[in-house]
Amino acid sequence: MDRTSDAAGPDRARAGLSRELVVKSALSFIDAHGAQKLTMRALGASLDVEAMALYRHVSGREDLLESVVEELLRGLEEDLDKQLSETWQGYLQTFAHHVRQIAVEHPLVFPLVATRHPAAPWLRPPLRSLSLVEGFLRALIEHGFSDSAAVHTYRIISSFLLGHLLLESVVRGAEVSSVEVPLDEGNAIVPGSDSGLDLSDFPEVMRLKGALSEDHSKREFEIGLEALIDRIEFYVSQ
């Protein structure tokens, strides 16, 4: 009787698995233990199934990590404060605060958002998805920004969020060393190349792809440094 019940347990667990459950369980696992400890075997054990059962729903650890990042960023734009977003200043404030909320609530996961492959090589983490960048550019352009101003703001905000929130995550216990990824991942989709990338659903990104691809790192660093010095000067003068 007991043996039959025990044997049925894993079968019931496998039957209840879904891609959504696997991805959300991986997110919870990383929240508790960090991305470095996430393996298919460890995640399977937490779900009371063999690791092989997970491969029915994800193609491997690479696919799993990408899906965790997608899950974390899902719905970010829908959660923005609509009243604040009526001005471009308010929009940037509510956007930045929501990204920070992700880093604060999931400090052990946020380094994945900051360091995993962007959807295309000319996008920047943590605003790494086409839909996020499309919404960001469109919102600024609707507020009267020129194309160049919208792209410049995207670069500046990305750099600010990446540096500040990655540091904040480390302070909260995150590890930022690279996550080892197996190479034989079956059908795992690895972002980072724009060859054959379909941008038809992202008209602003497609139109501004050239500008997004330009490298202005040195100038952006100097602008950020000058703004920081100005802020310090204001602070010490009070």
Side-chain angles (χ1 to χ4, degrees):
M1 180 75 172
D2 290 338
R3 285 196 299 271
T4 303
S5 176
D6 291 342
D11 290 336
R12 285 198 299 270
R14 281 194 295 271
L17 283 182
S18 65
R19 182 177 178 88
E20 180 182 9
L21 175 61
V22 170
V23 171
K24 288 186 175 180
S25 298
L27 175 57
S28 297
F29 185 97
I30 298 174
D31 275 337
H33 307 290
Q36 302 294 335
K37 290 184 172 61
L38 178 68
T39 65
M40 301 297 279
R41 185 187 298 273
L43 182 60
S46 73
L47 289 168
D48 196 28
V49 298
E50 296 293 332
M52 289 304 298
L54 303 179
Y55 286 93
R56 299 172 183 267
H57 308 282
V58 294
S59 61
R61 190 161 177 259
E62 176 79 3
D63 183 24
L64 188 57
L65 291 172
E66 289 299 316
S67 299
V68 165
V69 173
E70 291 176 9
E71 176 66 25
L72 207 59
L73 296 176
R74 191 185 314 278
L76 185 150
E77 292 173 284
E78 286 74 17
D79 293 335
L80 300 183
D81 187 303
K82 298 298 188 293
Q83 186 173 359
L84 270 178
S85 297
E86 290 178 0
T87 66
W88 67 263
Q89 296 94 334
Y91 172 79
L92 292 180
Q93 285 182 330
T94 185
F95 191 96
H97 279 106
H98 273 77
V99 176
R100 181 178 181 272
Q101 185 177 350
I102 292 173
V104 169
E105 293 179 353
H106 304 277
L108 301 189
V109 186
F110 187 77
L112 289 177
V113 180
T115 59
R116 298 295 292 169
H117 321 282
W122 31 268
L123 295 183
R124 296 180 170 195
L127 310 186
R128 60 190 298 281
S129 76
L130 290 168
S131 60
L132 273 181
V133 177
E134 174 71 15
F136 187 90
L137 295 173
R138 185 173 60 248
L140 293 184
I141 289 171
E142 288 175 352
H143 279 301
F145 278 52
S146 66
D147 290 351
S148 60
V151 171
H152 178 70
T153 303
Y154 162 73
R155 293 175 182 277
I156 294 297
I157 290 295
S158 295
S159 297
F160 169 78
L161 291 175
L162 179 62
H164 188 93
L165 297 182
L166 194 55
L167 176 60
E168 190 167 357
S169 296
V170 171
V171 170
R172 294 172 183 271
E175 296 181 44
V176 294
S177 56
S178 60
V179 177
E180 293 296 326
V181 180
L183 298 179
D184 54 339
E185 287 270 290
N187 296 321
I189 298 175
V190 181
S193 172
D194 61 353
S195 58
L197 192 62
D198 183 7
L199 299 178
S200 57
D201 290 333
F202 311 100
E204 298 299 341
V205 172
M206 182 164 59
R207 188 170 62 83
L208 297 174
K209 176 183 172 183
L212 290 167
S213 303
E214 295 173 2
D215 183 6
H216 299 290
S217 302
K218 184 176 185 300
R219 178 170 175 267
E220 291 162 7
F221 178 82
E222 295 299 338
I223 291 172
L225 183 58
E226 288 173 8
L228 179 60
I229 291 172
D230 287 344
R231 179 60 181 156
I232 294 172
E233 183 178 359
F234 174 78
Y235 177 79
V236 299
S237 68
Q238 300 304 300

